[in-house]
Amino acid sequence: MSPLLAVEDLSVSFGRSSLLDRLINPFPLPGFNVVDDVTLSLMPAETLGLVGESGSGKTTLARTILGLVRAAAGRIVFEGREVATPSDFRAMRRRSAMMFQDPVASLSPRLRVSTLLTEPQVIQGLPMQDRRAAAKALLALVGLPASFVDRFPHELSGGQARRVGVARALAMKPRLLLADEPTAGLDVSVQGDVLNLIGELKRELGFATMIVTHNLAMIRHVSDRLAIMYLGRLVETGPTQEVFSAPLHPYTATLIRSEPIPDPRRRSHNLAITGEIPSVFRRPSGCEFHTRCPLVQSRCKTEAPIYRPMGAGRLVRCHFPLQTGGREREAVSRASANPRGN
Amino acid sequence: MSGTLAASGLSVRYETPHGSVHALRHVDIEAHPGEVIGIVGESGCGKSTLVTALANLLPANARIDGAIRYNGVDLAKLDAHRQRLLRGDEIALVGQDPMTAFNPVLTIGDQLVDFQHHRKDLSRTLKRARIAAMLARVGIADAERRMRSYPHELSGGMRQRVAIAAALLTDPGLLIADEPTTALDVTMEAQIIHLLRELRREYNGIVIVVSHHLGVIAELCDRVYVMYAGEVVEGGEVDAIFHDPRHPYTQALLACDPARFHDRLDRLPTIPGSLPSLIQPPPGCVYAPRCGKAFAPCKTIAPPLVKLTACHAARCYVATP
Ligand SMILES: Nc1ncnc2c1ncn2[C@@H]1O[C@H](COP(=O)(O)OP(=O)(O)OP(=O)(O)O)[C@@H](O)[C@H]1O
Ligand SMILES: Nc1ncnc2c1ncn2[C@@H]1O[C@H](COP(=O)(O)OP(=O)(O)OP(=O)(O)O)[C@@H](O)[C@H]1O
Ligand code: SF4
Ligand code: SF4
Ligand SMILES: [Mg+2]
Ligand SMILES: [Mg+2]
């Protein structure tokens, strides 16, 4: 089977270069890659979880895939064809849906929910007999009362706005759904509702999903594969269950260990990661995780590890990947358990 | 300066063309200096309404009843000028949608300088130095450079951390954070939790955190209020809420947390049914339409708040001390 979406060596760079920017800002920032050399694929009906540091380029990657941000290098292939020109991207966007990270800010403040829900369909030229009825049906789908059609975005709670975002995305019956933090701001029950709904519609319509999230407890149940990003690069990919049970990259292991446990009797009184947080403006030499890695060796500081396969379907960017159940994993626990008091 | 915060009989309704939305009904909460209070509950149950009311920032279509006393002063009785002073100086709110908190055409640095307008004693250079130090504390590397960025040039989690930094720069006695860690990876989240704990100790102030992340609540809070459909249905020490929840909604909420399940689930657990209409709240117990333990009186007569221990209470007929 060929992938629905393939991203090859994709890089995205931001820098201030327009004349206006230079006038406003006397010290222009040089360009810097916030997404660097990312290669990823998504099979039809597959769910990929994209997890990583805050600021590591996940949102930018998703926006670039849909052509909302321009790539500096690399290729995007959708349904077997390269997506390059603006009209290619428009065609792809008609078959895809994006749920944005900021729920309220991403809905136009002056439009009522009914318009917000049916606007994409109108743009797509789908037949629309009765926009209000369609909007009400969509609201019911995401568990909101029909009376919400007349509300404005600022009259919704954060979670309600997020559910309107889901309804809006699914209204398009997409082939590809890119969901940026779809559960942020939802309580665990509504979060379950939204994900079960996406799951059901996925089984029915067969679309592929990329879920960008920090919610490890959730993504472990709903994704088939995981990709972990750090400073704009992928550091690990693999089947979800395997990544959780035996992470290869020390960053992945630290993420899994740092998840707070919902039990006040099991508080962790330490910071799982200490050390300097790097910035895309000044990438660390060698392995970019070395400023915070509990297992850092001298080689890591000078030589950048390559992204290499390890076992079936798994890739890792580390000189000393953790072995399943081996000594090294204990070392991560020990090294990251250095107490900093409470 | 910091003091006790107490809201009593607090009700808020939003006037809309379709009727009044009774978003908050007769809510009583209190918080003491040095405490971290958690607020949890179903999406749309009024958590943001409660904290915006505490910070005196409700939108124009909101009508408020009841009293909010901070340090012995009734906030509603202050004139507009004194209210503004208090907000800039003593009470800080980190809102739920950080993108809407910033002015899109000003740099982060300029906005953070403005946040310190009450510190007339500090020069602009000193203010910028404080900002750089605070940004570093919330985990933003290359602070000097980030101060020259515009809000849209930051990632979602960076905006959230800048919003937290902005609130902390005002040295508040009462810090209210509405979903402060939703856009943060777990390591950054741990760092922010650690920071909030440290601050509570340093300033002996009050921190109120709204979060859906039960792990964060368990990790950070001393006491927790559980809300449902505009009411506080249970409140108590964090240990009692997690280990001895008495309200059926609290029990159902905890049981839904996917963090409790290690093996992959095909369907995530949920609470069947949905939040009742807040335009016409149910006459009896607000949770009755979804409650497995409901019996006759639940549907018609609202249950009283039952005191279970000195600081644990639940609004339910079946809760007994
Ligand atoms: N329009 C822009 N101009 C300049 N820099 C940008 C722009 N958009 C994003 N960036 C930078 O790109 C980097 C990656 O941002 P992105 O929003 O993709 O991160 P993210 O992984 O989604 O983070 P989060 O989890 O916090 O949402 C950040 O350093 C951010 O400051
Ligand atoms: N300005 C408004 N006008 C009318 N109704 C409103 C307004 N703001 C909020 N509401 C309604 O009031 C109720 C409570 O909203 P609130 O934002 O306080 O919920 P919340 O508990 O913070 O939810 P979430 O967890 O989803 O953020 C919701 O049903 C919402 O639709
Ligand atoms: S290469 Fe070295 S520093 Fe980088 S993650 Fe692996 S062990 Fe850590
Ligand atoms: S009062 Fe009745 S309906 Fe309400 S939570 Fe208790 S048992 Fe359930
Ligand atoms: Mg993002
Ligand atoms: Mg809210």
Side-chain angles (χ1 to χ4, degrees):
Chain A
M1 204 164 40
S2 59
L4 176 79
L5 172 76
V7 171
E8 294 165 14
D9 309 320
L10 196 75
S11 296
V12 181
S13 172
F14 285 117
R16 293 226 178 92
S17 51
S18 79
L19 185 63
L20 182 66
D21 274 330
R22 270 187 308 235
L23 285 174
I24 294 173
N25 194 326
F27 311 103
L29 308 173
F32 47 90
N33 276 6
V34 297
V35 172
D36 199 77
D37 218 13
V38 167
T39 297
L40 259 188
S41 65
L42 197 56
M43 301 307 275
E46 184 180 40
T47 300
L48 174 76
L50 183 61
V51 175
E53 258 217 305
S54 167
S56 61
K58 304 176 299 294
T59 299
T60 306
L61 174 62
R63 293 173 65 90
T64 310
I65 291 173
L66 288 183
L68 302 174
V69 173
R70 258 186 49 181
R75 258 161 50 95
I76 295 166
V77 179
F78 183 65
E79 295 184 318
R81 271 189 296 278
E82 178 165 1
V83 190
T85 67
S87 82
D88 293 346
F89 276 111
R90 271 197 301 277
M92 177 180 172
R93 281 203 292 273
R94 275 198 290 276
R95 298 172 62 67
S96 322
M98 171 112 187
M99 288 172 60
F100 292 97
Q101 187 169 5
D102 288 282
V104 179
S106 68
L107 301 173
S108 324
R110 266 180 275 280
L111 298 184
R112 289 182 195 275
V113 167
S114 57
T115 320
L116 287 167
L117 286 180
T118 50
E119 175 197 46
Q121 294 166 306
V122 172
I123 293 170
Q124 286 190 332
L126 299 180
M128 276 295 309
Q129 267 91 24
D130 180 355
R131 296 176 59 149
R132 279 179 77 82
K136 286 179 179 172
L138 282 166
L139 285 173
L141 207 60
V142 293
L144 292 176
S147 62
F148 274 44
V149 286
D150 292 319
R151 291 247 179 129
F152 288 103
H154 70 269
E155 296 175 333
L156 303 172
S157 79
Q160 290 161 347
R162 175 119 12 229
R163 279 189 274 176
V164 168
V166 179
R168 208 166 124 87
L170 297 176
M172 302 200 241
K173 298 213 163 33
R175 301 300 303 150
L176 172 66
L177 173 65
L178 300 181
D180 198 354
E181 297 286 354
T183 61
L186 298 182
D187 67 278
V188 286
S189 165
V190 170
Q191 158 183 309
D193 278 331
V194 165
L195 289 165
N196 291 341
L197 173 71
I198 294 178
E200 269 159 38
L201 288 166
K202 200 181 99 155
R203 277 188 285 278
E204 205 176 295
L205 305 171
F207 53 83
T209 316
M210 183 168 109
I211 300 181
V212 175
T213 189
H214 294 300
N215 187 337
L216 297 180
M218 170 278 284
I219 201 70
R220 120 183 248 159
H221 295 294
V222 303
S223 67
D224 305 309
R225 247 173 356 112
L226 270 190
I228 319 286
M229 245 174 132
Y230 190 81
L231 268 194
R233 297 197 176 134
L234 291 180
V235 296
E236 174 159 8
T237 44
T240 303
Q241 301 308 309
E242 288 175 39
V243 173
F244 269 102
S245 57
L248 294 175
H249 197 282
Y251 176 61
T252 317
T254 316
L255 273 187
I256 294 170
R257 267 185 44 82
S258 320
E259 174 77 348
I261 301 165
D263 181 351
R265 292 182 190 168
R266 294 168 68 194
R267 288 187 176 177
S268 65
H269 295 300
N270 64 306
L271 282 180
I273 291 196
T274 51
E276 197 198 333
I277 295 161
S279 132
V280 282
F281 302 137
R282 270 193 304 255
R283 290 177 171 277
S285 62
C287 169
E288 294 176 334
F289 187 53
H290 88 245
T291 57
R292 297 158 83 196
C293 181
L295 298 178
V296 56
Q297 316 269 314
S298 59
R299 178 180 168 199
C300 306
K301 295 179 182 159
T302 52
E303 191 188 325
I306 55 163
Y307 200 36
R308 60 191 165 111
M310 256 197 80
R314 302 193 66 175
L315 286 156
V316 63
R317 190 190 297 279
C318 171
H319 292 306
F320 309 102
L322 307 168
Q323 305 299 322
T324 46
R327 252 174 356 107
E328 294 90 334
R329 283 183 68 209
E330 283 161 35
V332 173
S333 322
R334 269 203 310 279
S336 54
N338 53 351
R340 291 240 328 221
N342 177 10
Chain B
M1 173 185 76
S2 67
T4 295
L5 173 79
S8 51
L10 191 65
S11 297
V12 173
R13 55 180 206 278
Y14 295 107
E15 300 299 348
T16 75
H18 304 278
S20 307
V21 176
H22 296 270
L24 218 58
R25 295 186 309 286
H26 46 80
V27 164
D28 297 322
I29 65 162
E30 59 177 43
H32 305 282
E35 271 193 320
V36 182
I37 302 290
I39 298 180
V40 299
E42 176 129 346
S43 169
C45 71
K47 302 179 296 299
S48 297
T49 303
L50 171 60
V51 296
T52 16
L54 296 177
N56 225 315
L57 286 170
L58 284 170
N61 69 333
R63 303 287 170 268
I64 180 166
D65 271 317
I68 303 171
R69 298 179 75 80
Y70 179 59
N71 218 355
V73 182
D74 188 339
L75 296 189
K77 298 227 169 76
L78 293 179
D79 56 53
H81 174 69
R82 300 254 314 276
Q83 279 185 7
R84 253 197 318 279
L85 278 184
L86 202 60
R87 207 152 69 211
D89 215 3
E90 256 305 294
I91 303 180
L93 172 70
V94 182
Q96 189 168 6
D97 208 344
M99 192 58 183
T100 54
F102 295 106
N103 182 335
V105 299
L106 294 179
T107 63
I108 292 298
D110 285 343
Q111 299 191 51
L112 292 183
V113 168
D114 288 347
F115 268 96
Q116 303 173 69
H117 60 84
H118 64 293
R119 295 294 303 265
K120 305 265 186 299
D121 53 319
L122 299 176
S123 69
R124 198 175 166 84
T125 324
L126 266 174
K127 285 181 182 171
R128 288 190 80 89
R130 286 184 84 217
I131 296 170
M134 192 55 87
L135 288 180
R137 280 187 91 173
V138 297
I140 295 205
D142 240 334
E144 281 294 334
R145 196 152 180 177
R146 288 295 182 190
M147 283 161 69
R148 283 190 268 140
S149 302
Y150 292 91
H152 77 272
E153 294 174 335
L154 302 182
S155 78
M158 288 172 181
R159 279 195 293 269
Q160 229 169 22
R161 283 174 284 155
V162 172
I164 292 171
L168 295 179
L169 281 169
T170 65
D171 304 319
L174 168 58
L175 172 69
I176 306 173
D178 196 351
E179 299 282 359
T181 59
T182 50
L184 303 184
D185 58 280
V186 289
T187 63
M188 200 57 80
E189 187 171 56
Q191 183 168 342
I192 296 291
I193 292 175
H194 187 80
L195 177 66
L196 292 177
R197 275 206 200 133
E198 244 172 42
L199 288 168
R200 168 194 43 180
R201 231 187 18 212
E202 274 172 34
Y203 299 128
N204 196 35
I206 297 172
V207 179
I208 298 183
V209 186
V210 176
S211 182
H212 290 301
H213 193 155
L214 298 172
V216 168
I217 297 286
E219 185 78 35
L220 180 62
C221 298
D222 302 310
R223 280 191 304 118
V224 180
Y225 289 104
V226 183
M227 290 183 64
Y228 186 81
E231 296 181 359
V232 169
V233 295
E234 183 162 2
E237 281 180 345
V238 65
D239 195 77
I241 296 293
F242 279 85
H243 288 283
D244 187 21
R246 296 299 191 81
H247 195 281
Y249 172 67
T250 312
Q251 294 166 353
L253 179 76
L254 293 173
C256 283
D257 189 351
R260 300 167 75 97
F261 304 91
H262 267 253
D263 293 325
R264 188 190 164 109
L265 303 169
D266 275 340
R267 282 184 69 80
L268 295 172
T270 60
I271 304 172
S274 55
L275 211 58
S277 156
L278 294 178
I279 294 183
Q280 280 167 316
C285 168
V286 281
Y287 191 55
R290 298 169 85 178
C291 181
K293 298 190 179 125
F295 57 108
C298 300
K299 301 232 163 36
T300 49
I301 306 161
L305 191 68
V306 181
K307 216 168 154 86
L308 302 163
T309 70
C311 70
H312 187 187
R315 193 177 291 282
C316 171
Y317 286 119
V318 300
T320 45

